[in-house]
Amino acid sequence: MDGAKEGLMTSLRIMPALVALMTAVGMFKASGALDVLTHFLSPLASVLHLPREVIPLAILRPISGSGAMAIFQDILKSHGADTLIGRVASVMQGSTETTFYTIAVYYGATKVSKTRHTLPSALTGDFVGFIMSAITVQLLFYR
């Protein structure tokens, strides 16, 4: 009984952070900012050999798992799973984390308020995952 009570209290404690995160993601997508950011990052993605079509997935993956899954499904419907774009998106989806969500949930549950190096380290890991997704797919399937 104590464990269930503690779990419920933890859920209530982290609920505001989760609601704020989900609201922010919805506003980001609905405002058109995702499209603007995708257009702005296209030259960098080209240099890094990332297909332009996976940029929205790379932007949303650290923020929202459900938002990234919706974009991932759209990519697979539009381009197919056996294309360069589909394969890069698949590897990217499996090799990166929903960083902000994870930090909000776990740090909220443990009452950690000083994240210091967590966010820069986690986002660096995500960035490396994005780049390596494209490189790995190209090495394994297209060379």
Side-chain angles (χ1 to χ4, degrees):
M1 187 71 166
D2 289 335
K5 181 180 176 185
E6 185 178 330
L8 185 58
M9 295 306 292
T10 300
S11 297
L12 290 174
R13 226 179 17 253
I14 65 173
M15 188 64 67
L18 294 178
V19 170
L21 185 61
M22 289 180 204
T23 302
V25 168
M27 290 170 57
F28 182 67
K29 289 183 357 185
S31 71
L34 181 62
D35 297 330
V36 171
L37 196 53
T38 298
H39 180 72
F40 178 73
L41 292 174
S42 291
L44 176 63
S46 176
V47 169
L48 298 173
H49 302 291
L50 281 172
R52 183 183 195 284
E53 296 80 2
V54 301
I55 296 172
L57 178 62
I59 293 169
L60 278 183
R61 181 69 178 143
I63 301 168
S64 168
S66 59
M69 184 57 75
I71 289 174
F72 175 64
Q73 289 173 340
D74 287 344
I75 289 171
L76 292 185
K77 283 180 189 173
S78 300
H79 302 282
D82 289 333
T83 62
L84 172 67
I85 295 165
R87 287 176 173 157
V88 170
S90 297
V91 174
M92 188 179 291
Q93 186 75 356
S95 63
T96 57
E97 181 59 65
T98 52
T99 303
F100 291 97
Y101 174 82
T102 304
I103 289 172
V105 170
Y106 292 118
Y107 281 10
T110 58
K111 300 177 187 174
V112 173
S113 61
K114 296 180 182 175
T115 60
R116 193 171 162 115
H117 299 296
T118 304
L119 188 58
S121 300
L123 290 177
T124 300
D126 286 337
F127 183 71
V128 170
F130 300 146
I131 295 168
M132 291 308 297
S133 297
I135 291 171
T136 302
V137 168
Q138 289 176 9
L139 286 175
L140 292 176
F141 293 102
Y142 298 100
R143 297 209 185 218

